[in-house]
Amino acid sequence: MAITKSQTHFPVISPLHKEEVLKDFKLAVTSRHASLMGRKEVFMGKAKFGIFGDGKELAQIAMAKAFQLGDFRSGYYRDQTFMMAIGELNVQQYFAQLYAHTDVEADPASAGRLMNGHFATRSIDDNGAWKDLTKKYNSAADISPTAAQMPKLLGLAYASKLFRENKGLKGLSQFSVNGNEVAWGTIGNASTSEGMFFESINAAGVLQVPMVISVWDDGYGISVPKEYHTTKGSISEVLMGFERNENEKGFEIIRVKGWDYEGLKQAFSHAGSVARTSHVPVLIHVEDMTQPQGHSTSGSHERYKSAERLQWEKDWDCIAKFREYIISSGIASDDTLDQIESEAKVEVKKLKEAAWNEFSGEIKIEIQEVLQLLKSTAEKSTRKVVLLQLVEDLSKTINPIRKDVIATVRKALLLLRFDSESIKSELKLWYKAQEEKNFDRYNSHLYSQTQWAVDKIEEVPVVYNEKSAMVDGREILQAFFDYTLEKDPRFFAFGEDVGKIGDVNQAFSGLQAKYGESRVSDTGIRECTIIGQGIGTALRGLRPVAEIQYLDYLLYGLQMLSDDLASLLYRTKGGQKAPLIVRTRGHRLEGVWHSGSPMGMILSSLRGMIVCVPRDMTQAAGMYKTLLEADEPAIVIECLNGYRLKEKMPANLGEYNVTLGKPEILREGKDLTIVTYGSMCRIVMEAADVLDEIGISIEVIDVQTLLPFDTFGIIGESIKSTNRVIFADEDVPGGASAFMLQQVIENQDIFKSLDSEPQTIAAKAHRPAYSSDGDYFSKPSVDDVVEKVYQVMHESNPKKFPAL
């Protein structure tokens, strides 16, 4: 095992090295004072919450020295010193994020949308086009859930492997230089207890990717010491079985002390070199770190650390030890270091105040505008006294935020409800203008706003001719994936059983043999890191399809999809994108597992992703085409029972697409509209035939996508014609059927057109029972649809449709 030991003899110091050391010392104390002042700002009420990187400064400076242009970081919320060291964070930006400044220039990482300590660089320009990632230092946007940065790290590293091995990618020079980029991850020692960490470690060892994981080990996870977290109390000891040797591939494992300046530089330099040249994953266990201010501003570490431990942390603080090293090596005197630290403290305070003034200055302008409007309005209103009281209350607010301003205006407009429009018009106009500004500040960029948004993709209809043969649905997908693999070198697919056998339903049959393992590949049973692998590669400009074999397995990867992928564009305010396509399948298979349709869960947790629910494989292929032209992440849920059903082979396969957000009318009718999707389309169409025989005409609409949902208003127009509607799906009651109902009721102005109460058809609340009988009594059947429609028509016209 490669272990970097603490220095016992200091090296000879050159003048150039002295300059570097003193520069590093200044950066370390600058970052430390930013942490110390940041905590005070929270306690003064100027920020909501604070979490800081104090105690980790020296290791992060060493990591930055090995970090090169084109490399990627996927870390966590204590990496401020590293971000400062690579020049992607300055002190003013650091405090701007603490205050939640919504200007993207002030806080480029998140435009005030994330709490402090969440770092990101901007990979795309204002138009959504990729920048040259090889000429910049890159940080994937952070997320808070512990260890959730690890699966994405795997994908960032895997992209380098693909860029090196896939000759078709050599022309994509803005994304890679022959796969030389290293993905650097950071994690706290306690978070290594998470399954995501172990799954990522195992996958990286199998794949042999250039990934360096640094474990910042300060001995605790909030209040819980490491003996409760980690077997043997040491993650590097636990992972010894992953260590590589002469005969077996695996990890390079390094241990180093967090206060050892020379040892840290050596460790990170070695790790970067091994990962970069040989594509070997590396674990650096950085021990003896401290956390001088405790975990965060939510509590004090004096509550759970002994006096002895607290004293040890003071004695072995990395900056204190760094100071000792500098003095002992003759680089600088105590007085010189005091002066450097004093100057750094003054500079941090100055930049902190500049950040506050810039943040609060915007709000002060809004306050002054509102105060003036309220005063002038009060002079004309019968509610003068109470309006002037609002003026006084707002003007006396300490450290006001935007909420205080807007809440005051809303109270005023409520008070003015009986006044004439001329009296309150100016205040209303100001409020409306602020609504637009605040939407941009706090609500924009949930979905793409670029020319590659799904709603900007021009529709190309499917075409058939006299040679169009009837084939299994899976053959249409297989032909589409074959076409795309040939045309686009960025496109690749991976997942369990996807490679050699071509997936369990044969949509990739024969394609690994044709295009190679870097294009169509198998993975282990590890859904969480399959998603992470997809996110990381998509962040680096590739177009992955990550397969989750069955819909219920999506739960393993749901956190990555929800906390990371779905919110990426939003939490960076358009600074990063990862157009990953997640391919999975569900619906109608018999039994408790592989047959569920948890669409309500998906709709609630994956806002920010496109959710496609094709009824057949022709539609699915068209949706994949649209998504591959777009720049948004998506999930495509294919019908499990549709792969062997016959469909006509399109004549323009690989060219036609499906407009997402546009429902399709499968059958016209005049008595009632049924809105559905996926496998339920066949159920409803069969029911429509039965109903037609008894004189009930049903209009059947396939929504095609749940997100976006009917942006064309097609469902509303149908209901205005039929005056009755049923929303049908296989989810549990209150799931997707309720979602569809809500979307149409609130957004398509149909209420006054309804002659009957809107209805839903859903599965039973439990998972489906096994066997055909289990399916019949658990999920909506043709008979269920017929009876529900008949009941609605009976209530409308009992004479024509007597009770059953």
Side-chain angles (χ1 to χ4, degrees):
M1 179 172 68
I3 301 179
T4 303
K5 297 181 179 179
S6 302
Q7 298 292 312
T8 54
H9 300 286
F10 297 126
V12 176
I13 306 297
S14 68
L16 185 62
H17 185 57
K18 287 182 179 181
E19 182 181 337
E20 177 191 0
V21 171
L22 293 180
K23 181 181 177 183
D24 290 344
F25 179 77
K26 181 178 181 181
L27 175 58
V29 294
T30 295
S31 181
R32 176 64 60 87
H33 282 291
S35 293
L36 296 172
M37 291 185 198
R39 186 177 181 88
K40 291 179 181 178
E41 293 298 279
V42 175
F43 291 151
M44 289 175 63
K46 293 166 73 175
K48 190 79 172 179
F49 177 81
I51 195 161
F52 308 104
D54 45 310
K56 316 295 190 289
E57 293 91 351
L58 215 56
Q60 293 180 30
I61 289 171
M63 187 172 93
K65 293 178 185 297
F67 197 87
Q68 296 184 12
L69 290 173
D71 285 358
F72 266 84
R73 164 196 168 273
S74 180
Y76 81 135
Y77 41 69
R78 301 204 189 277
D79 290 347
Q80 69 198 48
T81 311
F82 170 79
M83 295 300 293
M84 292 176 180
I86 63 171
E88 293 297 334
L89 177 72
N90 62 45
V91 172
Q92 186 165 337
Q93 290 169 340
Y94 173 82
F95 281 100
Q97 189 176 67
L98 182 71
Y99 302 138
H101 196 158
T102 58
D103 187 337
V104 75
E105 297 297 324
D107 172 21
S110 70
R113 294 182 176 187
L114 300 177
M115 74 179 193
N116 81 301
H118 287 67
F119 309 113
T121 52
R122 302 190 77 76
S123 301
I124 53 180
D125 63 24
D126 292 341
N127 297 317
W130 289 104
K131 297 180 179 180
D132 189 335
L133 303 184
T134 68
K135 295 180 179 178
K136 62 193 298 293
Y137 298 113
N138 302 289
S139 176
D142 289 345
I143 53 178
S144 281
T146 52
Q149 69 271 37
M150 292 292 106
K152 173 172 57 186
L153 176 69
L154 174 73
L156 292 167
Y158 182 64
S160 289
K161 183 181 181 78
L162 294 177
F163 279 118
R164 183 169 290 183
E165 295 184 356
N166 182 357
K167 294 180 181 179
L169 299 175
K170 299 302 180 184
L172 299 176
S173 57
Q174 72 186 112
F175 298 113
S176 179
V177 181
N178 195 37
N180 292 335
E181 301 78 24
V182 173
W184 301 79
T186 62
I187 188 170
N189 59 290
S191 296
T192 63
S193 302
E194 292 276 15
M196 288 181 287
F197 173 81
F198 283 99
E199 189 173 312
S200 300
I201 288 284
N202 182 61
V206 170
L207 293 171
Q208 288 293 285
V209 291
M211 181 172 100
V212 179
I213 297 179
S214 301
V215 180
W216 307 146
D217 190 347
D218 56 34
Y220 286 82
I222 306 184
S223 67
V224 181
K226 61 184 178 184
E227 54 263 30
Y228 289 92
H229 284 286
T230 310
T231 302
K232 301 181 180 180
S234 169
I235 191 60
S236 55
E237 289 292 334
V238 169
L239 296 177
M240 286 295 292
F242 285 88
E243 186 187 15
R244 66 178 182 150
N245 56 43
E246 293 180 359
N247 301 314
E248 297 173 307
K249 294 179 179 179
F251 266 75
E252 183 86 353
I253 298 179
I254 301 172
R255 288 196 197 118
V256 64
K257 302 299 184 183
W259 44 264
D260 180 4
Y261 179 70
E262 294 294 340
L264 286 163
K265 289 200 299 179
Q266 180 185 342
F268 281 96
S269 176
H270 175 68
S273 177
V274 168
R276 198 177 306 280
T277 58
S278 304
H279 277 197
V280 170
V282 184
L283 177 89
I284 306 178
H285 185 189
V286 187
E287 301 174 295
D288 287 2
M289 282 190 153
T290 64
Q291 203 151 278
Q293 297 186 108
H295 176 261
S296 68
T297 55
S298 62
S300 169
H301 61 157
E302 285 83 359
R303 292 179 300 160
Y304 51 85
K305 291 179 181 175
S306 67
E308 292 77 17
R309 172 68 191 192
L310 291 169
Q311 185 59 50
W312 180 90
E313 292 199 5
K314 289 181 180 178
D315 295 339
W316 292 90
D317 181 279
C318 65
I319 293 180
K321 299 300 288 184
F322 192 22
R323 178 185 279 265
E324 289 178 16
Y325 161 79
I326 294 171
I327 295 170
S328 300
S329 302
I331 297 173
S333 66
D334 216 7
D335 289 343
T336 299
L337 297 182
D338 284 343
Q339 182 179 351
I340 291 173
E341 183 164 5
S342 177
E343 290 172 355
K345 184 177 181 180
V346 170
E347 183 69 11
V348 169
K349 184 178 180 182
K350 175 184 174 183
L351 293 170
K352 170 185 70 78
E353 291 173 352
W356 174 255
N357 290 336
E358 190 173 308
F359 165 73
S360 61
E362 288 183 3
I363 298 175
K364 286 178 181 177
I365 291 172
E366 293 175 16
I367 289 174
Q368 290 306 312
E369 291 173 349
V370 167
L371 292 177
Q372 186 59 44
L373 281 170
L374 287 176
K375 288 176 183 177
S376 62
T377 302
E379 293 301 321
K380 299 176 284 184
S381 172
T382 56
R383 310 307 306 273
K384 178 177 181 179
V385 174
V386 286
L387 288 172
L388 292 178
Q389 184 62 52
L390 290 178
V391 169
E392 184 176 356
D393 292 344
L394 180 59
S395 62
K396 289 182 177 179
T397 303
I398 300 172
N399 295 330
I401 58 176
R402 197 161 270 119
K403 171 189 172 184
D404 298 315
V405 186
I406 297 300
T408 298
V409 172
R410 294 173 81 173
K411 290 176 183 176
L413 290 173
L414 186 61
L415 290 168
L416 291 163
R417 62 191 182 276
F418 295 117
D419 284 42
S420 67
E421 189 65 26
S422 61
I423 291 174
K424 56 190 175 184
S425 60
E426 287 188 72
L427 192 62
K428 286 178 67 176
L429 285 172
W430 186 92
Y431 178 53
K432 182 174 178 57
Q434 288 300 308
E435 278 189 313
E436 295 175 2
K437 291 179 181 179
N438 288 328
F439 179 86
D440 177 67
R441 287 167 178 148
Y442 302 105
N443 310 119
S444 65
H445 292 88
L446 179 61
Y447 291 95
S448 175
Q449 298 179 197
T450 74
Q451 62 180 311
W452 300 284
V454 293
D455 61 353
K456 299 290 197 303
I457 306 302
E458 186 175 348
E459 183 175 6
V460 178
V462 63
V463 173
Y464 300 100
N465 58 33
E466 66 279 0
K467 295 181 181 179
S468 296
M470 295 299 292
V471 298
D472 289 347
R474 67 164 188 89
E475 294 181 68
I476 294 174
L477 284 179
Q478 195 264 1
F480 171 79
F481 291 139
D482 187 5
Y483 175 94
T484 307
L485 284 162
E486 182 178 353
K487 295 291 184 182
D488 189 350
R490 302 171 304 157
F491 175 75
F492 67 103
F494 58 95
E496 298 159 23
D497 299 304
V498 169
K500 188 169 185 177
I501 70 168
D503 93 39
V504 290
N505 297 104
Q506 300 292 284
F508 282 96
S509 178
L511 298 184
Q512 184 185 79
K514 185 174 181 178
Y515 294 100
E517 288 192 39
S518 65
R519 305 295 303 283
V520 183
S521 57
D522 289 311
T523 69
I525 300 175
R526 51 175 183 81
E527 287 80 7
C528 174
T529 49
I530 288 173
I531 297 300
Q533 204 169 325
I535 294 171
T537 50
L539 275 166
R540 295 193 57 187
L542 298 177
R543 295 311 310 260
V545 168
E547 178 161 320
I548 300 298
Q549 199 164 86
Y550 296 107
L551 188 56
D552 48 322
Y553 294 167
L554 195 73
L555 287 166
Y556 287 103
L558 189 62
Q559 184 178 41
M560 299 309 305
L561 290 169
S562 182
D563 289 328
D564 199 349
L565 183 61
S567 68
L568 175 66
L569 190 71
Y570 170 79
R571 71 178 189 272
T572 60
K573 200 181 181 186
Q576 291 186 3
K577 63 181 178 181
L580 167 64
I581 300 173
V582 178
R583 178 183 181 233
T584 188
R585 52 191 65 84
H587 313 310
R588 302 313 298 193
L589 196 68
E590 298 166 3
V592 170
W593 292 282
H594 305 349
S595 57
S597 301
M599 304 308 298
M601 174 192 75
I602 291 169
L603 291 168
S604 295
S605 59
L606 300 187
R607 298 297 173 97
M609 291 184 68
I610 306 299
V611 177
C612 299
V613 283
R615 67 181 180 272
D616 57 33
M617 304 310 148
T618 302
Q619 294 299 96
M623 290 175 179
Y624 284 121
K625 175 64 175 175
T626 302
L627 293 170
L628 287 167
E629 292 182 15
D631 65 354
E632 305 193 62
I635 180 169
V636 180
I637 304 168
E638 298 167 9
C639 297
L640 249 174
N641 59 359
Y643 296 108
R644 302 290 176 180
L645 296 180
K646 297 298 182 182
E647 300 180 39
K648 188 179 288 188
M649 177 66 78
N652 60 339
L653 188 71
E655 299 174 2
Y656 77 89
N657 59 29
V658 171
T659 298
L660 306 185
K662 183 179 181 180
E664 182 177 352
I665 298 176
L666 304 183
R667 178 182 180 130
E668 293 184 350
K670 59 183 178 60
D671 292 326
L672 184 145
T673 299
I674 298 185
V675 181
T676 191
Y677 61 87
S679 293
M680 277 296 292
C681 289
R682 287 189 289 276
I683 300 293
V684 172
M685 289 292 280
E686 288 183 35
D689 287 338
V690 175
L691 290 162
D692 189 57
E693 293 175 3
I694 58 176
I696 300 175
S697 174
I698 301 301
E699 184 141 298
V700 180
I701 298 180
D702 174 12
V703 303
Q704 301 202 91
T705 62
L706 289 166
L707 295 175
F709 185 85
D710 190 8
T711 56
F712 290 75
I714 290 171
I715 298 170
E717 289 303 311
S718 172
I719 296 169
K720 289 171 186 176
S721 173
T722 64
N723 307 119
R724 298 176 186 87
V725 64
I726 294 175
F727 297 91
D729 82 320
E730 297 179 3
D731 200 357
V732 296
S737 56
F739 166 78
M740 293 189 290
L741 172 60
Q742 174 266 330
Q743 288 285 300
V744 175
I745 288 286
E746 294 187 11
N747 299 326
Q748 298 196 22
D749 191 30
I750 66 159
F751 194 75
K752 59 180 177 292
S753 300
L754 290 170
D755 291 338
S756 301
E757 290 183 6
Q759 300 289 316
T760 64
I761 297 174
K764 298 296 190 291
H766 55 74
R767 294 190 178 197
Y770 180 61
S771 82
S772 296
D773 277 346
D775 178 82
Y776 183 82
F777 291 104
S778 301
K779 288 201 167 188
S781 66
V782 172
D783 295 333
D784 293 329
V785 176
V786 169
E787 287 186 1
K788 175 67 80 168
V789 171
Y790 190 89
Q791 179 184 352
V792 172
M793 298 307 296
H794 162 70
E795 291 173 357
S796 174
N797 189 345
K799 185 175 181 180
K800 184 175 180 181
F801 303 105
L804 296 178

